[in-house]
Amino acid sequence: MPKPRPRPAPLRPLLPPSLSPLPLLRQILLLQLTFYATATLLTFFTTSIAGYPFSASLILGAPAWVRGDTVQGWMFGGVWVLVAGVCVLAQILILARSKLVLDFTLTQYFLHFVCTWIYMGGYPWEWTGGRWEWWGVQVVCCVGTVVGGRWGCGWREMRPMAFGGGAGEGGGGGGGGEVGEGVEMVPLVRGEV
């Protein structure tokens, strides 16, 4: 009687679950939505306080508004810096992995660049009339988002984990109380190991 063939082992997925395409696309979409929602809210708030009319060109046509020679230009530059700060918080909450921050930040700003290019209908240097302020704000925001996101996600990764139990019940790491509380220290007698 012929020997039955052993069953082949099931194939392992090529990518770990954290790097599969659908969760990555979902995270990119969430970060991009956070980026534009924050930009819209802060720009709307700023324009309503300053008395300027609100329009989509303030967000997607920003090169015309971000300038270094007017108070209005500095104000809109500050709005973009605040948007970058909110994006750092979003990355800490959504990504939670410091090694993903650089990729997601560059993707976020690249998609913003593409959306702005499509909205404005031309290359950015033409939009700014040779001015460098918009580019400077984008670079500062991108670098700030990477640095803040890496630090924040690294901080989140390094926090102690609690494995069951509540605070103060001695149920695991991160519980309340003094170090060694609830642990009886017994002297080690020679020969007991």
Side-chain angles (χ1 to χ4, degrees), residues 47-143:
T47 55
S48 63
I49 296 294
Y52 297 118
F54 176 78
S55 70
S57 68
L58 292 172
I59 297 163
L60 295 173
W65 297 97
V66 177
R67 298 174 52 134
D69 59 348
T70 64
V71 173
Q72 176 187 3
W74 279 91
M75 181 176 62
F76 285 114
V79 165
W80 283 109
V81 171
L82 289 174
V83 169
V86 171
C87 287
V88 167
L89 296 175
Q91 285 181 344
I92 293 169
L93 295 173
I94 295 170
L95 296 180
R97 298 283 311 271
S98 61
K99 72 180 197 175
L100 298 175
V101 168
L102 177 64
D103 298 333
F104 276 84
T105 301
L106 292 178
T107 301
Q108 174 180 330
Y109 279 93
F110 175 74
L111 290 175
H112 174 60
F113 175 77
V114 168
C115 289
T116 306
W117 187 335
I118 291 169
Y119 183 82
M120 295 297 290
Y123 186 69
W125 193 253
E126 297 168 6
W127 313 328
T128 59
R131 301 184 69 89
W132 57 271
E133 289 94 343
W134 184 79
W135 291 101
V137 167
Q138 296 305 311
V139 168
V140 165
C141 290
C142 189
V143 169

Side-chain angles (χ1 to χ4, degrees), residues 20-44:
S20 61
L22 284 178
L24 289 177
L25 288 174
R26 190 176 314 124
Q27 289 172 333
I28 289 171
L29 182 65
L30 278 171
L31 287 174
Q32 206 69 28
L33 287 174
T34 302
F35 180 76
Y36 282 119
T38 304
T40 302
L41 288 173
L42 289 177
T43 304
F44 179 75

